[in-house]
Amino acid sequence: MISSFVITGFLGVGKTTMLTNSVKENFGDKKIAIIVNEFGDVGVDSKILKNVHSEVLEISEGCICCQLAEEFESGVREIIEKYNPEIIFVETSGASEPFPIFLSLQNLGISVDGVICVVDSKNFGSYKENSTAKYQLGGSNIIVLNKIDLVTEDEIKALEIELAEIKSEYNIKNTMTGEPIFKSYVTHRAEQGLVGKELFEGIYKQEEVVEFAQDAKHLDHALKDSITQKVAYLKKDINFSDIDEVLKNIPKPIYRVKGVVKVKDVPNAIFVNYSFGDASFEELQDYEDKSLLIFIGENVESHVTDLSNKYSILNVPKFSINKV
Ligand SMILES: Nc1nc2c(ncn2[C@@H]2O[C@H](COP(=O)(O)OP(=O)(O)OP(=O)(O)O)[C@@H](O)[C@H]2O)c(=O)[nH]1
Ligand SMILES: [Mg+2]
């Protein structure tokens, strides 16, 4: 039986980083397929994930936990037919819930060996009120406290207590018996998403789930959440410092920025990754497409318009706002 893991967690917490750093490390001898669903209509994670030894399928322009359930299932079938993987990892969008994806995988006869919720240990306080973030915790059986390099031991301990409370309140339950779907869960700590192989082993027994109610409903976050995204294209003939300047002045409600840009003073394209005030950059070879940045957060339309008025390197098309 093919086994799978679902990686969930809010925007920018380190899901892709975890796949990049942990999959090759722990599963170098296995045939791996990764399915990635991103918030918004321009996928960039798959470009980075192509560097991990695996087959990567990207599903964009919607959310696989609601609008794209069928596309997700046919994508999984296709990847199995073409590639015959031993393990499938699904990175869900930071704005989607894991449980419907868990059900889809089970319906396809795939064993779900773990639902991993990655938590940003430094920035949890900034997104913990988001209802999807709470359901992401409730629908998981492995919690990874990531970015521990950015917090103190006391802060981690306080976070663990807070997470345990949210976890018990939002645990997904069998709607017939009222019993939690996951009888227990484990917590791990990680830096740069790097976790050991034991995280993926012996966590979950398939027998525990076969009987649970089919009618478990999920929150329709597409209606409730106010997170939106906006794409900006970048002018040619810019330098790295022009990008850096924009990133240093991102307003707080925009908590996530990612994209790929070409600048005059760096030979390869640069993968830009910004979450909650921290930016990182990586060179990307063979990128021939447009330079773009995707801004994600609350009230994005007006904030990005302000930014583009201030920084002429940003070219913002009208009417491109997407609600996911
Ligand atoms: N300091 C620090 N930064 C990290 C760590 N893990 C990830 N990051 C950074 O956090 C940012 C977001 O990481 P991603 O792996 O892209 O996050 P994600 O959850 O896949 O993001 P989305 O797919 O957009 O929801 C990047 O700039 C990473 O370099 C960590 O342990 N410590
Ligand atoms: Mg990602």
Side-chain angles (χ1 to χ4, degrees), residues 3-6 101-102 105-106 110-115 204 206:
S3 70
S4 70
F5 291 89
V6 179
I101 297 156
F102 175 103
L105 287 165
Q106 284 218 141
I110 296 167
S111 159
V112 186
D113 293 353
V115 181
Y204 200 62
Q206 180 71 19

Side-chain angles (χ1 to χ4, degrees), residues 64 92 106 140 149 152 157 175 181 185-186 218 224 317 322:
I64 54 172
T92 70
Q106 284 218 141
S140 323
D149 51 310
T152 64
K157 289 210 170 108
T175 45
I181 298 293
Y185 70 97
V186 291
H218 85 284
K224 290 187 183 157
N322 266 19

Side-chain angles (χ1 to χ4, degrees), residues 8-18 20-21 36-39 45 91-95 118 120 146-150 190-194 256 258 271-275 278-282 296:
T8 185
F10 201 64
L11 294 155
V13 295
K15 298 177 293 296
T16 304
T17 307
M18 179 171 162
T20 317
N21 290 342
V36 55
N37 176 221
E38 274 189 86
F39 188 97
D45 280 2
E91 177 184 338
T92 70
S93 113
V118 183
D120 183 328
N146 191 36
K147 305 197 189 180
I148 56 162
D149 51 310
L150 304 177
E191 195 175 324
Q192 298 299 339
L194 189 60
R256 186 84 177 107
K258 52 191 194 179
F271 178 68
V272 175
N273 207 337
Y274 167 103
S275 68
D278 296 319
S280 68
F281 308 94
E282 211 172 311
I296 304 167

